[in-house]
Amino acid sequence: MDERLAVVSGGGTGIGAAVARTLVADGCSVLILGRRAEVLAATAERIGAETGRPEAVRAVSVDLTDHEQIGRVVEAVDGRPVDVLVNNAGGFHSAQNDTLAGIAANWRATLDTNVLTAVLLTAALRPALRRPGGRVILISSIAAQRGGGDAYSAAKAALHGWAYSLATELGPEQITVNVVSPGYVAETEFFVGRMTPEGHAKRVAATLVGRAGTPDDIAESVRYLASPAASFVTAQILGVNGGSVLGR
């Protein structure tokens, strides 16, 4: 089999960068996607140096909410089968005001960032997914399971329902679809400017293991789901939250 190809959205920092590094270390060739070209380039260079495989990671600058830009990803894939697609792009949008117009703008932006990015990228690469053996992995959030994030919680929960539908469609082609739902991961840009020491302590105390998660914790879960060992696992929500939400 040719070298496996993985595509990781939101791959410039945090969880996405950790996932990309893990997959490169496992022997994959990886495309990392994001909007900030300089950040992506620096991450690609760092991963290449750390893994000793500078040729194995490439960066594609793209706004995945814009369907016209996603052709850049298809061009970068260049006809190769895609073995692993990790939809990690997303983010939290704060409402600017409580007018109806403000609420509508916040919900649209949140759904675009967290749901539409995954839907459009997956649709564009769906013909290229390896058959059999392709893996589609969506990065959700504990907020989808316990609420508390308003539009963000709803958007991440939408990924769960869509994953079930997509898994049903792609299962007969031996392509699996799963969701990783992280709990509190401190070492990301997600909480920049929004986390207090008290908030951090509260989130750590809510776990059963007494610590915050790390991007590598999430990357290891993705590593399993992306591997041949997970060929019989599909349409599942894998909570990686230190016990903050019990399995159900």
Side-chain angles (χ1 to χ4, degrees):
M1 183 181 292
D2 296 335
E3 181 181 61
R4 299 176 82 213
L5 173 63
V7 178
V8 181
S9 70
T13 62
I15 290 171
V19 168
R21 185 190 184 284
T22 296
L23 295 176
V24 170
D26 281 352
C28 291
S29 172
V30 179
L31 291 179
I32 56 173
L33 316 179
R35 290 175 297 174
R36 297 174 294 176
E38 292 183 359
V39 171
L40 288 172
T43 298
E45 182 176 1
R46 175 176 57 80
I47 292 173
E50 290 176 351
T51 60
R53 300 185 65 220
E55 78 292 343
V57 55
R58 292 181 291 150
V60 179
S61 178
V62 57
D63 181 351
L64 295 174
T65 65
D66 183 350
H67 68 276
E68 294 184 349
Q69 292 190 32
I70 294 180
R72 299 175 189 173
V73 183
V74 177
E75 290 176 4
V77 167
D78 194 26
R80 290 181 59 186
V82 174
D83 295 273
V84 184
L85 171 57
V86 182
N87 285 293
N88 172 67
F92 184 86
H93 294 271
S94 298
Q96 298 303 307
N97 57 66
D98 59 1
T99 65
L100 291 180
I103 292 169
N106 176 251
W107 275 75
R108 289 189 180 110
T110 301
L111 289 168
D112 281 357
T113 299
N114 294 283
V115 181
L116 191 63
T117 51
V119 171
L120 292 180
L121 180 60
T122 303
L125 295 182
R126 182 167 173 168
L129 292 172
R130 187 178 291 277
R131 294 162 169 83
R135 303 283 189 265
V136 179
I137 301 166
L138 311 176
I139 306 300
S140 173
S141 167
I142 194 173
Q145 296 160 292
R146 70 179 183 188
D150 198 33
Y152 180 75
S153 293
K156 290 302 189 182
L159 292 177
H160 296 190
W162 179 56
Y164 298 148
S165 295
L166 193 61
T168 301
E169 294 173 12
L170 294 178
E173 300 177 73
Q174 300 297 304
I175 296 170
T176 67
V177 181
N178 291 288
V179 177
V180 174
S181 180
Y184 175 47
V185 179
E187 301 169 23
T188 70
E189 293 184 339
F190 184 83
F191 291 104
V192 171
R194 297 193 298 115
M195 182 54 64
T196 64
E198 294 77 16
H200 171 81
K202 179 180 179 180
R203 285 167 173 78
V204 169
T207 71
L208 301 181
V209 298
R211 70 170 177 87
T214 68
D216 284 341
D217 289 324
I218 312 306
E220 289 297 331
S221 300
V222 172
R223 167 184 266 159
Y224 165 65
L225 291 174
S227 75
S231 63
F232 199 54
V233 179
T234 195
Q236 302 302 309
I237 311 299
L238 177 57
V240 187
N241 56 48
S244 297
V245 169
L246 302 183
R248 54 171 74 92

